[in-house]
Amino acid sequence: MQMLLNVNNIEVKYQNAILVLKGVSFSLTEGKIVTIIGANGAGKTTTLKAISGLLHTEDGEVTHGSIEFNGKKIDRMKPEEISQMGILQALEGRKVFEHLTVEENLRVVANRGTKRIGIKKNLDKIYNYFPRLKDVKNLESGYLSGGEMQMLVIGSCVMASPRILLLDEPSLGLSPILVKEIFAIVKKINQEEKATILLVEQNANAALSIAEYGFVMENGRIVLDGTMEKLKNNEDVKEFYLGLSRINERRSYREVKHYKRRKRWLG
């Protein structure tokens, strides 16, 4: 399998002073779903923004290491240049153009050179993935429910035919039923569009239900990685992220003295 994206030992600082990511490395295999799980503030969103280029809009910078897409360095590129290469990020917080209708939001992201028949084909595709969006396509987006907004955000990215789709906390604030529905659609998009998906989540149960490989991030570092089966069966992951603690209590990895970090952090 071809490695589509390589994140090579990156450090990220905001305002050239606040160190957020500390030597993060991982690769994405083309056509796979990979997840990064971790608590709020672990550095997951910053990792996505480093890949999509959105760091530059928030006075953030990759100060060490590199990010390569198809062998080309992209960590110094502008976000619009990166998106044109096929890397799209669905932002946390379900940001949409609230004064535009659902369909107008979807059309905004259509390529300028796309012929009308191409836009129509893409719209039909989105409505097939998200039938609810078709029902509300003429409604101003500001009136959508949280679940509908999340569908619109993901649908807008898919409209642009991404090579890599970056999803930032898509389960946030949604009911368990909606989370299950949206994650099933994400998996379907991966299979049918052949899009590589990097999913960051606090909801480890949901993320590991569709991902093939995962990374655990804490305090700006990746502290554990493995296949879905390996992570699901890891006792620490069960306790800290899957809610399976015998004492019904969640703690941080750093609070457990016997926790063993990966060897590359011991040197």
Side-chain angles (χ1 to χ4, degrees):
M1 287 289 183
Q2 180 182 353
M3 291 298 177
L4 189 61
L5 184 88
N6 289 296
V7 176
N8 305 308
N9 197 33
I10 66 168
E11 291 183 354
V12 167
K13 288 183 180 179
Y14 285 99
Q15 299 175 346
N16 203 31
I18 305 170
L19 181 62
V20 179
L21 298 186
K22 310 161 188 175
V24 171
S25 295
F26 62 89
S27 298
L28 298 184
T29 303
E30 189 165 15
K32 302 295 184 180
I33 300 178
V34 174
T35 186
I36 301 175
I37 61 175
N40 187 36
K44 306 185 303 300
T45 294
T46 295
T47 301
L48 293 190
K49 289 181 177 179
I51 296 169
S52 67
L54 291 175
L55 272 181
H56 304 307
T57 68
E58 299 178 353
D59 202 13
E61 184 182 6
V62 176
T63 55
H64 180 81
S66 64
I67 302 172
E68 298 178 357
F69 174 65
N70 266 345
K72 181 177 181 179
K73 285 189 63 174
I74 63 171
D75 46 271
R76 301 294 177 184
M77 295 176 64
K78 297 178 180 178
E80 58 269 26
E81 295 173 329
I82 294 173
S83 66
Q84 288 169 4
M85 296 174 71
I87 301 176
L88 280 296
Q89 181 174 348
L91 295 171
E92 179 186 6
R94 299 187 274 275
K95 295 178 175 61
V96 299
F97 297 107
E98 295 186 358
H99 63 290
L100 300 181
T101 67
V102 167
E103 185 155 311
E104 286 169 343
N105 265 274
L106 292 172
R107 287 179 177 274
V108 162
V109 299
N111 294 329
R112 291 182 178 180
T114 303
K115 296 180 180 179
R116 182 174 297 180
I117 188 172
I119 294 176
K120 177 65 166 57
K121 183 178 179 180
N122 279 347
L123 283 171
D124 289 343
K125 177 173 65 177
I126 301 306
Y127 292 146
N128 180 58
Y129 286 130
F130 301 102
R132 178 59 185 156
L133 292 184
K134 186 174 183 179
D135 295 338
V136 296
K137 66 179 183 179
N138 295 318
L139 182 68
E140 284 191 16
S141 300
Y143 293 102
L144 298 178
S145 68
E148 291 165 345
M149 281 191 180
Q150 187 62 73
M151 294 176 185
L152 178 56
V153 168
I154 297 173
S156 295
C157 289
V158 176
M159 212 36 203
S161 301
R163 293 284 305 280
I164 298 179
L165 178 57
L166 308 174
L167 298 179
D168 193 358
E169 303 280 5
S171 74
L172 189 65
L174 301 184
S175 69
I177 292 176
L178 267 177
V179 171
K180 186 175 181 179
E181 178 184 349
I182 287 176
F183 274 58
I185 295 170
V186 168
K187 187 169 185 177
K188 187 177 181 182
I189 290 170
N190 165 253
Q191 293 171 340
E192 296 185 0
E193 303 298 317
K194 308 303 180 185
T196 303
I197 295 175
L198 179 57
L199 164 69
V200 306
E201 265 292 347
Q202 292 186 60
N203 187 338
N205 281 296
L208 294 177
S209 72
I210 64 169
E212 298 172 65
Y213 201 89
F215 299 88
V216 178
M217 178 173 278
E218 280 209 354
N219 299 315
R221 290 188 172 95
I222 292 173
V223 296
L224 184 69
D225 68 274
T227 63
M228 176 182 64
E229 291 78 12
K230 177 183 176 181
L231 293 180
K232 279 186 172 181
N233 291 322
N234 181 284
E235 292 301 320
D236 291 326
V237 173
K238 284 182 181 180
E239 180 173 354
F240 307 132
Y241 295 105
L242 300 181
L244 300 177
S245 170
R246 287 175 294 178
I247 58 175
N248 194 31
E249 177 183 330
R250 294 197 181 196
R251 295 171 292 165
S252 166
Y253 274 124
R254 63 179 179 271
E255 295 176 310
V256 181
K257 293 181 181 179
H258 70 267
Y259 177 68
K260 297 178 181 178
R261 297 191 183 277
R262 294 196 304 172
K263 289 183 179 179
R264 67 191 184 93
W265 297 116
L266 298 178

